[in-house]
Structure formats: structure tokens, C-alpha cells
Amino acid sequence: MENKKTALVTGGTSGLGNAIVKMLLGKEWNVATCGGREDLIETLLAESDEDNLLAVACDIRLGNQVENLVGKTKENFGRIDLCVLNAGTIGPVPLPEVKDLSLIDLRATFESNFFAT
């Protein structure tokens, strides 16, 4: 596995990130990915019989969890050749008007989409 290129894809448990993970696996890359929901991590792993997939729960806003993800990726695959910083959030659903958005929700959205990346 160490001679293959390795991609780290954040937010790989759903949507665009999940499509990128599956595309890279199909191209025989090693892929490490993360998501904030353990149930989606488990689903991704259950749907794949790939030994070149690492999927872990990770809140990208928390530096120690990102360091853990990077460490596990290097430990499993020996290198990182590509980072796809896809994880993010649109905030609370249904989306309120900005004037009605709480400071906590606004801050969490900004932390995920701007600072974490």
C-alpha cells in the first residue's frame, strides 16, 4: 500500500466528499477520510471491502483530532500526496435568515468552513 499515492479527504462520508473518496478508491489510491458522524463512518467502512481505506470520526475544528487523522494516515499509508479539504457545514437546517442566526451557530459555521480549513 505504501507505493500507492495517498489522499486525505475531509468530509468524505457524504455528498461531494464521498464521491471523491469513491472515485479515488476506484483509481487505486490509498484514501484516508473523516467525518463528524460515527454512523456515517461505519456505513462507509461497511460498504467498502477496500484495504486501502481509512475512515475515522474527526471534528476538523479540533486540532488534536486533525493531528490524530494525519498521524493515522501516515501510520497506515506512509505518506500523504493529496489533501482535499472538503468538510464544511451550511449551519442549522432549515436555514434561518442571517438576522435570525444565533451567534453560536454562526461561529460554528465559520469555524468549520473558514478556520478549520
Side-chain angles (χ1 to χ4, degrees), residues 6-29:
T6 298
L8 190 155
V9 181
T10 63
T13 56
S14 63
L16 178 63
N18 186 256
I20 292 169
V21 166
K22 290 177 179 176
M23 184 271 304
L24 288 167
L25 288 171
K27 303 260 184 215
E28 298 188 5
W29 281 59

Side-chain angles (χ1 to χ4, degrees), residues 68-82:
N68 181 56
L69 171 64
V70 170
K72 283 184 176 184
T73 302
K74 289 180 177 180
E75 181 181 311
N76 279 271
F77 302 126
R79 63 198 247 186
I80 298 173
D81 300 288
L82 171 70

Side-chain angles (χ1 to χ4, degrees), residues 29-108:
W29 281 59
N30 294 320
V31 179
T33 192
C34 67
R37 291 181 42 196
E38 188 69 42
D39 61 321
L40 294 179
I41 294 291
E42 291 172 10
T43 299
L44 178 63
L45 290 170
E47 290 175 350
S48 175
D49 61 357
E50 305 286 343
D51 63 349
N52 58 331
L53 173 64
L54 170 70
V56 298
C58 175
D59 183 336
I60 62 165
R61 298 172 297 170
L62 302 176
N64 64 327
Q65 290 189 22
V66 174
E67 288 174 12
N68 181 56
L69 171 64
V70 170
K72 283 184 176 184
T73 302
K74 289 180 177 180
E75 181 181 311
N76 279 271
F77 302 126
R79 63 198 247 186
I80 298 173
D81 300 288
L82 171 70
C83 287
V84 180
L85 303 176
N86 171 73
T89 182
I90 61 170
V93 178
L95 290 174
E97 291 186 34
V98 173
K99 68 179 180 61
D100 297 328
L101 195 59
S102 75
L103 182 57
I104 291 171
D105 288 333
L106 179 61
R107 178 177 219 130

